[in-house]
Amino acid sequence: MLKRILGFLYIFLFIFNSLKAQNWYKRFTNSGVYVSSCDIESYDKGFLISGYGINPFSGLLYKTDVNGNVLWQRIIGNLHDSASIGSICNTIDGGLVAVGQISITDTTSDIFVLKLNSCGEKDWCKIFKINSLGGTFSQVKQLKDDSYIFEFYFNIVQITDNKCGIYKISKDGNLLWQSYNLLFPQNMMLDRNENTFVTGDIDLPDSGGPPDQLYIHSDIVKIDSNGKKIFDSRYSVPLHIYCSGRASQNTPDNGLLTIGINTNLKGPAEDLFLIKSDSFGNVQWNKLIGDTTKDEMPIDMCNLNDSTYIIIGYQADFVHSDSSLRLLLVKVNDKGTVLKRAVYKSTLVPIKINPTKDGKFIIAGQENNTNGSPITAIKINSELGIDSFYHVKYKYDSLCPKGVKSNETIAIKGSDTVHVDIPHTHTSGIVTIYNNKTDLSI
């Protein structure tokens, strides 16, 4: 009897360890060109995976279990809408909100916000008509009062026009306020007081130089929950160096840590650097933290804890004719000290990183291979290793009382359109983009 019990125990441990040893790496599309946008953990320990297809454009949304196995999926829009999803967020009622671009009323893209309930069904949708200026690169967050903040980029404007729109809408999608800014947005985050921080870059003339010669600076805009701009912090380095901000997170002293790119500062091309700012947006220090013998492109970052951060990006070696991309992961603290680095020989191009409830991280991305660019997700642990699958079973979609349909297309109607008046100051003539030139040093 004891031998039988030991035999069953051995088999159980073997199966458990085999399941747990599998790397958490999932593809959600096959051949074809796709773009990943955002992965987040759902209320039931599953995941929501978003992106879109190209040629034709179509918004894609997947709900998975804890191991990334698809439970249900949604196609957003039809073949004539050119819909794409830029970002998603969980909602307090167990549903989700998706923000993206769509061309339902004319040939230029507008911004849509789509609310789905806990069953993956459409609650409401708003299309924000933005004067044929083209909208893309959107991100969205829900606030404590059930309202939403989202930002997007105008892609059909003059270089010196406002390129970033930030909207606050009610829980039903009604526009509460709008803010416009000059920077090209790359990322958005909220602090504990629900102030909005948008990180990106901005094209500015040199001090005392010709107004039509612009230099690229990192930029962070802080806006409070009422739409008032608190600061607009711009930073650059000398010697005509391209300087672009990518993402920011709060530090324990209520300041900001920003990741960005310098071009041709020390290495052959892109260099990974950090900027530390105080609570007023004033730069305190900056530091190169990457391998300057390689091209290192940071994409996104998130908190491991209050003073430690995970940075995702990719590494290449273009100067030595090696065009293959490698997944780059870096762990740093708020002092800019690199705690750990990991480089994976993977074709995954990361897009977004978000924390999970088990202390791990889910990364959205797409592979870059000969068969196209499938939407892919990878889960990592706090030591930058690829996480393993779990064999624990959970009950999913428990907030949906009637069961979730496995596959459904959600239509977006032109009658959902909201026309928005957008102030823009157009600059005539041709402007030339140059690399940075300032008196600050790195």
Side-chain angles (χ1 to χ4, degrees):
M1 184 68 176
L2 180 59
K3 289 183 177 179
R4 181 177 296 179
I5 293 174
L6 291 174
F8 281 129
L9 180 61
Y10 174 80
I11 293 171
F12 170 78
L13 291 174
F14 175 79
I15 294 172
F16 175 80
N17 288 328
S18 297
L19 286 170
K20 202 173 189 305
Q22 299 178 69
N23 288 334
W24 207 113
Y25 191 103
K26 286 286 187 177
R27 299 179 184 88
F28 297 95
T29 52
N30 297 316
S31 61
V33 181
Y34 297 89
V35 177
S36 178
S37 59
C38 186
D39 297 351
I40 56 176
E41 187 176 18
S42 184
Y43 68 90
D44 55 10
K45 298 184 184 299
F47 294 97
L48 294 164
I49 314 293
S50 67
Y52 55 94
I54 297 178
N55 195 22
F57 275 88
S58 58
L60 300 172
L61 179 67
Y62 301 91
K63 172 65 182 294
T64 78
D65 64 13
V66 70
N67 289 324
N69 300 307
V70 175
L71 301 173
W72 50 266
Q73 68 179 57
R74 296 290 181 266
I75 298 174
I76 309 302
N78 58 48
L79 296 178
H80 307 291
D81 292 342
S82 296
S84 62
I85 298 177
S87 179
I88 54 175
C89 73
N90 290 304
T91 57
I92 296 172
D93 61 2
L96 68 95
V97 156
V99 175
Q101 65 184 59
I102 192 167
S103 302
I104 198 171
T105 56
D106 53 35
T107 56
T108 59
S109 56
D110 297 309
I111 297 298
F112 75 87
V113 183
L114 173 66
K115 170 67 170 64
L116 302 184
N117 62 21
S118 59
C119 299
E121 300 168 331
K122 177 180 175 181
D123 273 346
W124 53 261
C125 181
K126 298 288 185 180
I127 301 173
F128 292 90
K129 184 68 180 168
I130 52 177
N131 299 353
S132 300
L133 296 174
T136 186
F137 299 122
S138 48
Q139 296 181 76
V140 63
K141 305 285 184 183
Q142 187 174 33
L143 305 181
K144 296 173 184 177
D145 63 357
D146 288 4
S147 63
Y148 303 93
I149 292 280
F150 66 94
E151 60 85 13
F152 58 93
Y153 164 61
F154 296 110
N155 57 20
I156 309 176
V157 294
Q158 299 280 354
I159 291 293
T160 50
D161 276 349
N162 292 321
K163 291 184 283 294
C164 175
I166 306 171
Y167 288 4
K168 182 176 181 180
I169 60 175
S170 69
K171 65 178 182 178
D172 300 316
N174 298 314
L175 185 61
L176 300 177
W177 55 255
Q178 51 189 306
S179 172
Y180 299 97
N181 302 274
L182 291 171
L183 84 164
F184 176 97
Q186 297 284 353
N187 214 298
M188 181 183 78
M189 70 98 175
L190 304 180
D191 67 7
R192 62 178 62 92
N193 296 317
E194 297 192 330
N195 296 302
T196 299
F197 296 83
V198 178
T199 302
D201 51 65
I202 187 170
D203 307 314
L204 295 173
D206 189 20
S207 178
D212 62 339
Q213 295 181 0
L214 305 182
Y215 300 87
I216 299 175
H217 298 62
S218 172
D219 196 8
I220 305 172
V221 173
K222 178 181 179 180
I223 294 176
D224 69 16
S225 58
N226 295 314
K228 179 183 177 181
K229 186 180 294 186
I230 305 300
F231 66 67
D232 189 342
S233 175
R234 299 158 180 182
Y235 176 75
S236 64
V237 294
L239 306 176
H240 291 202
I241 301 299
Y242 175 100
C243 180
S244 174
R246 291 293 167 173
S248 300
Q249 291 291 338
N250 283 125
T251 53
D253 59 358
N254 292 321
L256 292 169
L257 193 66
T258 299
I259 58 171
I261 308 163
N262 286 143
T263 301
N264 298 320
L265 181 60
K266 285 192 175 181
E270 282 80 15
D271 297 318
L272 169 59
F273 78 99
L274 296 175
I275 303 173
K276 172 63 173 69
S277 307
D278 64 18
S279 59
F280 300 100
N282 301 309
V283 174
Q284 296 177 308
W285 54 259
N286 50 76
K287 182 184 292 187
L288 285 172
I289 62 168
D291 181 352
T292 57
T293 67
K294 303 283 196 307
D295 301 83
E296 294 198 334
M297 177 75 73
I299 302 295
D300 193 20
M301 69 186 299
C302 71
N303 290 76
L304 174 60
N305 52 50
D306 287 342
S307 61
T308 311
Y309 311 87
I310 305 292
I311 300 168
I312 62 170
Y314 61 83
Q315 184 192 81
D317 196 2
F318 296 119
V319 73
H320 294 113
S321 301
D322 182 3
S323 60
S324 59
L325 303 181
R326 292 169 286 276
L327 175 63
L328 174 66
L329 307 174
V330 184
K331 181 163 65 171
V332 300
N333 63 19
D334 61 312
K335 308 301 181 185
T337 302
V338 175
L339 305 177
K340 192 166 187 176
R341 281 171 56 96
V343 180
Y344 289 93
K345 292 182 179 179
S346 169
T347 59
L348 179 71
V349 178
I351 301 297
K352 193 73 180 172
I353 181 171
N354 280 303
T356 59
K357 297 183 182 73
D358 58 357
K360 312 293 179 62
F361 303 88
I362 185 78
I363 298 174
Q366 66 260 356
E367 291 183 347
N368 182 16
N369 55 47
T370 56
N371 294 323
S373 54
I375 292 174
T376 308
I378 182 172
K379 191 181 177 191
I380 64 169
N381 57 40
S382 60
E383 293 303 313
L384 310 186
I386 300 177
D387 198 31
S388 303
F389 290 142
Y390 296 102
H391 82 299
V392 180
K393 292 184 178 179
Y394 297 102
K395 182 179 179 181
Y396 299 102
D397 298 312
S398 59
L399 295 180
C400 178
K402 56 185 178 181
V404 182
K405 295 181 181 179
S406 61
N407 196 336
E408 192 173 24
T409 298
I410 296 178
I412 298 179
K413 301 177 181 179
S415 57
D416 297 323
T417 301
V418 177
H419 291 270
V420 181
D421 292 325
I422 299 175
H424 271 267
T425 304
H426 293 286
T427 302
S428 60
I430 299 175
V431 293
T432 305
I433 301 300
Y434 292 85
N435 288 322
N436 285 333
K437 179 183 177 182
T438 72
D439 294 328
L440 297 176
S441 61
I442 192 165

